[in-house]
Amino acid sequence: MLKKLLAITGLVLATMTIAACTGNETPKKTEAPNHQTQEKVDAKGLEINIEQANYTDERDRDAEKVKQVLRLKMTVKNTSIEEIFFDSTELQVKDSKGKKLAIYPFENMMGNVAPKKTMTGYAYFKATDNGPYTVVYTHPITKKKYEWQVNPDK
């Protein structure tokens, strides 16, 4: 009788322990991860790498005068079997206060990338002094967003 009572008590304790452990799972984040410079990101057919972020003194002499220009050096590799068009002016950049930066009209990277080929170039934005910045690429077909956190070199 004592053995049966000990066995039942042990079974009840084991069941309660298992039930208590399964209720403490942390929910997974559903938001897009923030990537950093020098981090290659697979964006469904394109491997995008923001290699460098800095402020530049380069200016278009015909464009309006701006105090500060953010320059992003990027490499885009086509990992698909079809040619893909990439346009750096489609990126959205926001400062740390959530203000969207306007595109600066300079030698922004855009063009067709052949299958298994790589294109390197720049994207320019009228900057504020409120870095770090969040760069967002939205895939044109899937509408999935890919984000980078960039802190420009002075």
Side-chain angles (χ1 to χ4, degrees):
M1 173 84 171
L2 185 60
K3 287 184 182 181
K4 286 184 183 180
L5 185 59
L6 285 174
I8 292 173
T9 304
L11 187 59
V12 169
L13 286 173
T15 305
M16 289 174 56
T17 303
I18 291 171
C21 290
T22 58
N24 293 335
E25 294 178 17
T26 306
K28 292 181 181 178
K29 286 186 175 182
T30 56
E31 61 189 52
N34 264 343
H35 303 286
Q36 306 297 317
T37 54
Q38 297 292 327
E39 186 176 348
K40 295 176 183 177
V41 176
D42 181 14
K44 301 286 184 194
L46 289 176
E47 182 181 88
I48 302 171
N49 182 10
I50 298 178
E51 295 179 14
Q52 186 180 54
N54 62 359
Y55 297 115
T56 181
D57 292 331
E58 293 180 85
R59 301 287 189 273
D60 184 341
R61 63 186 169 137
D62 296 330
E64 68 178 273
K65 301 294 181 216
V66 294
K67 180 181 174 190
Q68 204 163 36
V69 175
L70 173 68
R71 178 176 67 179
L72 304 175
K73 181 178 181 185
M74 305 178 66
T75 299
V76 178
K77 180 179 181 182
N78 183 347
T79 59
S80 74
I81 58 172
E82 294 181 10
E83 189 172 79
I84 297 177
F85 182 75
F86 180 80
D87 183 356
S88 67
T89 64
E90 295 295 319
L91 296 172
Q92 289 188 353
V93 180
K94 292 183 180 178
D95 67 13
S96 62
K97 295 183 178 181
K99 180 182 178 196
K100 184 178 173 185
L101 303 185
I103 296 161
Y104 183 74
F106 200 55
E107 299 168 354
N108 288 294
M109 178 174 72
M110 64 178 68
N112 290 321
V113 185
K116 310 302 179 204
K117 297 294 180 185
T118 301
M119 178 170 63
T120 300
Y122 296 94
Y124 296 87
F125 297 89
K126 297 176 188 176
T128 63
D129 287 327
N130 300 321
Y133 301 95
T134 301
V135 180
V136 179
Y137 169 74
T138 304
H139 192 279
I141 297 170
T142 65
K143 303 300 182 204
K144 182 173 179 184
K145 295 182 184 301
Y146 301 88
E147 293 185 5
W148 290 261
Q149 196 75 23
V150 298
N151 200 0
D153 300 328
K154 299 271 181 183

